[in-house]
Amino acid sequence: MTECCGIPMTFETLSERLRVVAVRALAFCKERYGSNGVKIEEGIDDAIMWRPSFYLKVGKFKLIAVEVEDNLYPGSLKGAAHDISHYDFPIAVYQACTLEAYLGDPNHKNINLLKNHGFGIITVDEDGNAVIQHSCVPLAQHISPDSFERAISKLSPKMKVAFRSAYAVYQTSETQGLQDAGQIIEAILTSIADQAVKKGDLTASSSGGALANRIDNMYGAQPLAGHRAALGGAREFVQEFRNTASHPAKSAKQAAEKIRKCREGFLDAINIASKLRALAKAKGYTIKLHVG
């Protein structure tokens, strides 16, 4: 390996300044995540057209791939997002750039686009210090803050607080985040069952026992017959999210599938909560949801 100005000529397609960024960003990532499976300027797979500046393996079932570029949110990343999200190996993607480029983005317009679309950002200053400005999860897991806020817009204030807490957890652990969302649905269903008993729409004996049985009893209750779609969806969700959360992945493909299912399940939970809230409003029930 040759050197130029003390910088290894590894990233030969980059300018001298960006080679410094690439070398420092790579050293930073290796120190932070280890050196397992490091590849430089190589494609990840034929299914992904994008070729990152470098990537490495983290743990058994995750890749971190980095695009070194001062042009914030380049077309190469925009085009790669779909392929990466559907690839059978979880991949988190960062753009590494100079600190100058990061600070020079007017109103952080492109920075915000990167973040909102699920990409992380690493900067390297003039002294070669690399810093993660914004961390990220695998693209298949990403739910943008804007999408999340739109999804919860029809929920009650307490439901919004509860789901925001679950969303914060989801950002670092998709499995635990889904479990937290599932617990919100369980709490809503329990409250609806209690209210149905108070209103005489459900017998006291039908409101106890396992959650699945309580949902079935509400589904079969004549006063709730007009809301069977919401209750049926809740029943299906409770069964599915428990299966998803309880089965550990044994391969990269299973890990990718699980992440996608967790994302789908988390968004489903919000949708079901909205439908259950509509049920409660139609029946005059007050949902008591304890947050925290």
Side-chain angles (χ1 to χ4, degrees):
M1 182 184 298
T2 59
E3 292 191 2
C4 177
C5 302
I7 300 299
M9 294 292 286
T10 305
F11 301 94
E12 297 186 7
T13 61
L14 300 177
S15 67
E16 183 176 336
R17 175 64 184 123
L18 286 180
R19 280 203 301 273
V20 174
V21 173
V23 169
R24 300 305 185 195
L26 175 58
F28 172 81
C29 288
K30 288 166 69 174
E31 182 178 354
R32 186 180 181 92
Y33 303 111
S35 303
N36 188 21
V38 173
K39 301 292 183 183
I40 296 174
E41 295 186 318
E42 293 185 19
I44 296 172
D45 189 270
D46 290 343
I48 300 174
M49 297 297 293
W50 171 61
R51 188 184 72 172
S53 301
F54 65 85
Y55 67 90
L56 47 83
K57 190 176 180 182
V58 181
K60 289 184 178 180
F61 308 132
K62 180 180 176 182
L63 293 180
I64 288 182
V66 179
E67 174 81 358
V68 178
E69 175 62 75
D70 263 356
N71 174 28
L72 296 174
Y73 204 4
S76 56
L77 288 186
K78 296 175 185 176
H82 179 271
D83 293 342
I84 293 170
S85 296
H86 291 81
Y87 184 58
D88 285 335
F89 206 115
I91 305 174
V93 181
Y94 285 84
Q95 178 169 353
C97 64
T98 61
L99 181 60
E100 180 182 9
Y102 176 83
L103 296 176
D105 183 31
N107 299 317
H108 271 202
K109 179 181 178 181
N110 289 312
I111 294 295
N112 288 333
L113 282 174
L114 279 165
K115 291 164 56 181
N116 206 44
H117 292 170
F119 298 99
I121 303 165
I122 298 172
T123 61
V124 177
D125 65 19
E126 291 184 352
D127 296 323
N129 299 309
V131 174
I132 292 180
Q133 298 288 351
H134 302 285
S135 60
C136 65
V137 295
L139 280 178
Q141 179 182 340
H142 177 66
I143 299 172
S144 74
D146 289 349
S147 297
F148 171 73
E149 288 297 328
R150 285 195 299 270
I152 66 171
S153 62
K154 295 182 180 180
L155 301 183
S156 69
K158 279 197 172 183
M159 287 182 182
K160 288 179 180 178
V161 170
F163 272 106
R164 285 185 182 122
S165 177
Y167 178 64
V169 173
Y170 176 86
Q171 302 286 58
T172 56
S173 172
E174 73 281 0
T175 301
Q176 187 59 54
L178 176 59
Q179 288 179 335
D180 288 0
Q183 288 171 3
I184 296 169
I185 297 301
E186 290 183 359
I188 293 171
L189 287 165
T190 297
S191 183
I192 287 175
D194 291 343
Q195 290 287 303
V197 171
K198 289 182 179 180
K199 294 282 187 177
D201 294 335
L202 190 68
T203 63
S205 60
S206 298
S207 67
L211 179 63
N213 292 335
R214 279 181 279 160
I215 298 174
D216 288 344
N217 290 335
M218 285 189 284
Y219 187 93
Q222 190 58 38
L224 296 172
H227 304 283
R228 284 175 176 164
L231 292 168
R235 177 70 168 84
E236 184 177 348
F237 168 80
V238 168
Q239 182 178 14
E240 180 63 26
F241 101 79
R242 283 178 172 169
N243 288 338
T244 298
S246 62
H247 288 85
K250 296 181 180 179
S251 68
K253 182 176 182 179
Q254 288 182 7
E257 289 174 349
K258 183 173 182 177
I259 285 174
R260 286 191 284 267
K261 284 185 177 181
C262 284
R263 182 183 187 278
E264 180 182 353
F266 192 91
L267 293 173
D268 281 348
I270 297 173
N271 185 44
I272 289 165
S274 180
K275 291 179 178 179
L276 292 176
R277 187 191 183 211
L279 180 163
K281 289 179 70 175
K283 296 297 296 182
Y285 299 162
T286 300
I287 294 178
K288 296 181 179 179
L289 187 63
H290 299 288
V291 179

